[in-house]
Amino acid sequence: MSNLILNEGYYNNNNFFEGGSGSKIFLKGRRILDLSFCAGSLLLGHNSKIFIESLKEIHRKKISSLASPNLQANNFAKLLKKVITYKDKFIFCNSGTEAITKALRISFSISNKSMIIATTGSWHGSVDNLLFSPDKMLRPTPISSGILNSHKQNLKFIPYNNIEKSKKIILKNKLKINCIIVEPMQASLPLHEAKNYLMFLRQISKKHNIILIFDELITGLRTNGSTLQNYFKIKPDISTFGKCFGGGFPIGIIGITKKVYQNLSKKNKKVFFGGTFSANSISTYVGMRTTDYILKNKKKIFKKLEKFSSLFENTMNNFFKSHMIPAKVYRFKSLIRVVFTDRLTEEGSRGNFFISKKLQRVEKIRKFLQKKNIYIPSNGLIYFSDQTSLQDINYLIKNLKLAFKT
Ligand SMILES: Cc1ncc(COP(=O)(O)O)c(C=O)c1O
């Protein structure tokens, strides 16, 4: 029977995961090593102690779902100020997609210019303005039906990490550009050396009065309990966060600098941020408790994550080299991607999580791992959590090697 659900992954699939605990998720009586952790949201793993405690506290303290201004959201914002130090005000919503949509709305209300500059390889969720991928000439091509042509006309791509080419495109369009949006550390290819490029984006955007937006959905909190902007000391005008900050509950957060806030106030701009569950008391309570725990235990948590992540990276890359397998592990902190090619210079390929010609091989590897009770998501992004053990990592390494050999 065909499936009732049209969301990605449901079509032609009768394997529905039932739950999870620690580093494992459950499927028909099997305990499967999870490498997704709710698309990178569960830094503390499935059903962590703090998650369960938060739910019990919600019950005990009678914290109900509140759409009206509530203490929980206010307390969370105070805590966020300590982590996201470059930001002055926060707006809560329910997903990364919503955060990006509203970040763009803020940006468009600051100036009348209408062009968005996006970088190749960045992903910003289900936002109509940005649901495009660049072709070889960097022209935007929609990746979904139903995207209005007007979005295409207002979008230009620049090649991530290529200062020369990006500069040319930005200078050519400088009077039309409203904002530059970038996933500063790209999940599609995490590169440490991105700092120079991000500094260039900051300089050129400042010079030409262009808003700079950092999409830190993944890097927020996962960067050693801080943010990438703090880590690199670069101050974008608007930033978006979510995932780990929700501790397993849906959340999106927009942070704006004092300057952006003053700009909106000065021009008396009223930007609409409403939504039934925006700043709701349950998500913000669990988010606050999780963030607080992570901050208080950050040395221990991130030391272990770094140790295990680098063990995985080094062991696999040595294996690929010694067996002359054209693959490589790219990593930033505990965000990891195995790329099934050793040639990754063409800009266009960054956006594709798996190089299309190799798709069949990748699917084979995924299926092999699934038989060994390891779940790797189809976009190839691997996350480890605080509950991923050394035993898990060794088991993963052993079976990934076997998968490549077979
Ligand atoms: C960098 C980045 N931005 C935006 C999004 C969209 O977030 P959401 O899926 O919560 O809408 C994602 C989701 O994976 C993401 O990784």
Side-chain angles (χ1 to χ4, degrees):
M1 197 181 87
S2 73
N3 219 302
L4 289 174
I5 301 176
L6 285 184
N7 293 68
E8 283 74 9
Y10 285 81
Y11 182 74
N12 256 350
N13 183 6
N14 283 314
N15 286 328
F16 302 129
F17 290 101
E18 295 129 19
S21 173
S23 60
K24 310 292 187 308
I25 43 178
F26 313 141
L27 180 71
K28 297 176 181 164
R30 290 159 63 199
R31 286 169 61 83
I32 296 182
L33 174 61
D34 190 18
L35 301 176
S36 162
F37 289 104
C38 192
S41 305
L42 300 176
L43 200 52
L44 299 178
H46 292 279
N47 269 302
S48 68
K49 207 173 106 225
I50 204 74
F51 181 78
I52 295 168
E53 260 177 44
S54 310
L55 296 188
K56 283 185 183 161
E57 285 163 13
I58 285 171
H59 174 64
R60 200 176 64 238
K61 296 180 182 176
K62 297 196 168 49
I63 302 174
S64 187
S65 253
L66 298 168
S68 30
N70 58 77
L71 189 66
Q72 289 74 24
N74 202 42
N75 287 342
F76 192 23
K78 283 186 200 158
L79 181 64
L80 285 178
K81 187 72 187 90
K82 291 186 193 165
V83 189
I84 311 172
T85 48
Y86 289 160
K87 294 292 174 287
D88 202 49
K89 304 277 179 213
F90 300 104
I91 299 119
F92 288 115
C93 52
N94 297 294
S95 67
T97 297
E98 200 184 337
I100 302 282
T101 306
K102 288 175 175 171
L104 291 176
R105 191 176 299 154
I106 296 172
S107 195
F108 285 130
S109 65
I110 288 177
S111 91
N112 291 327
K113 298 179 282 180
S114 57
M115 184 184 286
I116 301 174
I117 293 280
T119 52
T120 56
S122 291
W123 172 247
H124 303 294
S126 190
V127 178
D128 281 16
N129 310 62
L130 299 165
L131 268 185
F132 294 86
S133 73
D135 68 8
K136 282 207 170 110
M137 306 295 289
L138 295 179
R139 286 173 302 217
T141 321
I143 55 173
S144 165
S145 301
I147 306 293
L148 296 180
N149 212 28
S150 54
H151 292 310
K152 184 173 170 169
Q153 283 154 5
N154 285 326
L155 180 67
K156 272 218 182 315
F157 278 104
I158 51 174
Y160 181 85
N161 221 18
N162 184 330
I163 295 183
E164 289 276 292
K165 282 193 191 166
S166 299
K167 193 172 179 179
K168 255 191 199 159
I169 299 169
I170 294 170
L171 290 181
K172 195 171 159 205
N173 296 282
K174 64 179 193 244
L175 296 177
K176 291 185 262 176
I177 303 171
N178 176 288
C179 59
I180 299 175
I181 182 162
V182 61
E183 187 190 351
M185 184 57 64
Q186 299 192 313
S188 64
L189 196 67
L191 291 174
H192 277 266
E193 57 269 30
K195 186 177 176 183
N196 271 351
Y197 183 69
L198 298 171
M199 279 173 29
F200 149 75
L201 289 183
R202 180 61 288 185
Q203 275 166 356
I204 198 162
S205 55
K206 203 171 220 167
K207 188 164 172 204
H208 298 289
N209 240 338
I210 296 166
I211 300 275
L212 181 63
I213 306 175
F214 271 14
D215 177 355
E216 290 220 45
L217 254 292
I218 293 175
T219 48
L221 213 53
R222 192 169 282 278
T223 311
N224 295 351
S226 181
T227 57
L228 194 81
Q229 50 197 274
N230 276 19
Y231 186 75
F232 280 165
K233 299 194 172 37
I234 300 172
K235 196 176 171 182
D237 305 294
I238 304 176
S239 310
T240 52
F241 305 92
K243 297 206 188 239
C244 293
F245 280 112
F249 269 65
I251 204 152
I253 304 164
I254 305 139
I256 59 174
T257 56
K258 201 175 214 162
K259 202 168 152 210
V260 169
Y261 178 64
Q262 283 169 345
N263 203 316
L264 289 175
S265 315
K266 207 165 60 200
K267 293 181 180 154
N268 219 357
K269 298 277 186 182
K270 285 255 177 288
V271 187
F272 184 74
F273 294 127
T276 304
F277 287 100
S278 292
N280 79 78
S281 41
I282 305 287
S283 294
T284 51
Y285 187 76
V286 176
M288 188 271 291
R289 291 285 282 116
T290 308
T291 307
D292 184 55
Y293 177 85
I294 290 171
L295 294 183
K296 284 184 177 141
N297 296 278
K298 72 178 174 189
K299 261 203 179 139
K300 196 175 104 222
I301 293 172
F302 293 101
K303 194 175 163 198
K304 188 171 105 182
L305 273 175
E306 182 62 26
K307 191 173 148 197
F308 290 176
S309 308
S310 70
L311 171 70
F312 176 77
E313 178 191 15
N314 295 334
T315 315
M316 284 316 298
N317 280 342
N318 285 339
F319 168 80
F320 291 143
K321 234 186 212 162
S322 62
H323 288 74
M324 293 200 293
I325 295 170
K328 195 173 170 189
V329 175
Y330 288 84
R331 174 176 83 89
F332 178 75
K333 308 290 169 197
S334 54
L335 157 66
I336 292 165
R337 194 175 162 229
V338 183
V339 177
F340 293 82
T341 178
D342 53 357
R343 284 190 315 118
L344 244 199
T345 46
E346 334 89 89
E347 276 112 24
S349 64
R350 287 170 179 280
N352 307 327
F353 279 115
F354 288 126
I355 311 305
S356 54
K357 272 188 249 156
K358 308 258 164 104
L359 258 179
Q360 270 183 339
R361 212 177 109 196
V362 172
E363 261 319 296
K364 271 189 191 163
I365 287 174
R366 282 192 69 219
K367 285 210 174 111
F368 181 93
L369 292 179
Q370 198 130 351
K371 273 192 201 144
K372 301 280 179 186
N373 291 333
I374 299 173
Y375 176 73
I376 181 165
S378 60
N379 63 12
L381 289 186
I382 294 178
Y383 297 97
F384 295 145
S385 83
D386 187 45
Q387 297 199 56
T388 307
S389 67
L390 184 58
Q391 203 183 0
D392 291 334
I393 303 279
N394 284 331
Y395 182 73
L396 169 65
I397 290 174
K398 183 179 111 187
N399 284 294
L400 198 54
K401 281 181 178 175
L402 254 173
F404 272 95
K405 277 186 189 163
T406 330

